[in-house]
């Protein structure tokens, strides 16, 4: 009898804890998530707080320059004023020559990333939403992205948005970087599948 009461007590506590977490998460994501374009004012903070790989340290600065030259937009997500994620949208489409030859007029979503501590709160989805909105505003009818063939979780996220596998073969994506001291790094490579979302 005592065991039964204890079990019911724990079930009630767990239930309320669950509700509390859901409320807390939706409050954080709905009220305190701000997505801004990179700017020189926030570059240092972004480099300090969302650089997990020193070998590609220069990527935030490089994308600021690309944004300034009109080639794309680099979106930074701030949660409670703390930078937690980013995504770059490249208007000319993927840099890879195989994708470029086969897929036209398709802005490319690159390097979607959310700090591991803040995942599964809907931040990645909000960044994708924003890219879709920007592409539509610019008059595009589709948007695309390459996903590492092993990244099944990310592919799952994109399929929720109705991205579909493009009609091209998986390819080897190759990229280079620059570390904090300005030394070149790479080449890095990954086998990638390309996905496209068409707009209505
Ligand atoms: C992919 C990524 C940006 C998703 O960000 P997020 O803020 O967690 O995304 P959301 O909260 O909107 O959606 C989460 C969903 O994404 C999927 N997902 C993708 N990658 C995931 C990961 N590494 N861990 C957990 N969930 C992941 C899951 O389906 C998850 O669903 P769930 O919340 O029901 O568990 C983030 O996991 C990440 O930065 N991963 C490492 C970098 C990466 O793989 N980028 C994509 C390159 S194509």
């Amino acid at each position: 009898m005592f065991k039964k009461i204890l079990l019911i007590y724990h079930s009630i506590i767990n239930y309320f804890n669950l509700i509390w977490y859901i409320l807390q998460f939706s409050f954080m994501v709905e009220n305190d998530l701000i997505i801004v374009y990179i700017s020189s004012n926030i570059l240092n903070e972004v480099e300090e707080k969302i650089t997990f790989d020193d070998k590609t340290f220069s990527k935030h600065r490089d994308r600021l320059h690309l944004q300034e030259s009109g080639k794309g937009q680099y979106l930074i997500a701030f949660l409670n004023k703390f930078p937690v994620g980013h995504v770059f949208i490249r208007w000319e489409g993927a840099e890879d020559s195989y994708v470029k030859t086969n897929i036209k007029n398709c802005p490319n979503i690159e390097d979607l990333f959310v700090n591991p501590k803040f995942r599964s709160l809907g931040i990645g989805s909000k960044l994708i939403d924003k890219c879709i909105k920007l592409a539509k505003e610019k008059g595009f009818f589709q948007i695309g992205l390459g996903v590492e063939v092993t990244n099944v979780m990310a592919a799952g996220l994109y399929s929720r948005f109705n991205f579909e596998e493009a009609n091209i073969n998986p390819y080897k994506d190759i990229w280079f970087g620059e570390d904090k001291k300005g030394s070149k790094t790479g080449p890095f490579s990954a086998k990638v599948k390309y996905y496209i979302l068409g707009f209505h």
Side-chain angles (χ1 to χ4, degrees):
M1 180 65 180
F2 178 69
K3 265 190 181 168
K4 255 190 181 172
I5 293 171
L6 204 64
L7 199 71
I8 293 169
Y9 173 76
H10 278 298
S11 310
I12 292 170
I13 294 288
N14 284 341
Y15 177 75
F16 281 111
N17 273 343
L18 183 69
I19 299 287
W20 169 242
Y21 282 127
I22 291 171
L23 283 175
Q24 207 183 10
F25 283 166
S26 52
F27 176 81
M28 277 165 67
V29 172
E30 289 309 321
N31 293 288
D32 294 323
L33 183 75
I34 300 170
I35 296 176
V36 299
Y37 298 130
I38 188 92
S39 69
S40 43
N41 294 342
I42 61 168
L43 179 64
N44 286 348
E45 189 184 5
V46 171
E47 284 184 330
E48 189 189 318
K49 295 182 178 152
I50 28 178
T51 298
F52 284 83
D53 177 7
D54 183 50
K55 292 191 185 104
T56 54
F57 182 82
S58 67
K59 69 180 182 182
H60 302 305
R61 190 181 352 114
D62 296 344
R63 287 171 189 163
L64 168 63
H65 294 151
L66 284 168
Q67 182 179 280
E68 285 170 345
S69 62
K71 294 207 159 148
Q73 304 280 180
Y74 193 32
L75 306 172
I76 311 293
F78 280 80
L79 185 64
N80 299 325
K81 300 191 175 142
F82 188 88
V84 293
H86 53 71
V87 68
F88 183 66
I89 177 161
R90 190 184 292 268
W91 298 126
E92 288 169 359
E95 277 189 297
D96 181 88
S97 58
Y98 172 63
V99 180
K100 220 180 238 174
T101 313
N102 289 288
I103 297 168
K104 308 278 183 202
N105 296 320
C106 184
N108 191 51
I109 294 181
E110 295 175 19
D111 199 15
L112 172 68
F113 177 83
V114 173
N115 178 326
K117 287 186 197 149
F118 301 99
R119 287 185 189 165
S120 289
L121 295 175
I123 299 170
S125 299
K126 295 245 160 142
L127 285 166
I128 299 173
D129 273 338
K130 183 79 182 167
C131 289
I132 293 171
K133 190 167 171 268
L134 288 172
K136 282 182 181 171
E137 280 169 8
K138 267 202 164 254
F140 287 100
F141 294 104
Q142 57 181 2
I143 196 165
L145 48 85
V147 185
E148 226 175 305
V149 290
T150 51
N151 198 347
V152 182
M153 299 284 269
L157 174 61
Y158 303 131
S159 69
R160 280 193 210 167
F161 279 85
N162 297 326
F163 276 84
E164 286 175 0
E165 245 182 275
N167 200 13
I168 62 172
N169 295 324
Y171 58 97
K172 191 172 169 186
D173 196 17
I174 299 175
W175 67 96
F176 295 83
E178 203 179 293
D179 66 17
K180 219 171 182 168
K181 291 178 191 148
S183 308
K184 301 280 174 217
T185 57
F188 307 102
S189 69
K191 195 171 179 194
V192 165
K193 261 189 203 165
Y194 206 75
Y195 290 80
I196 292 181
L197 172 69
F199 310 141
H200 307 294

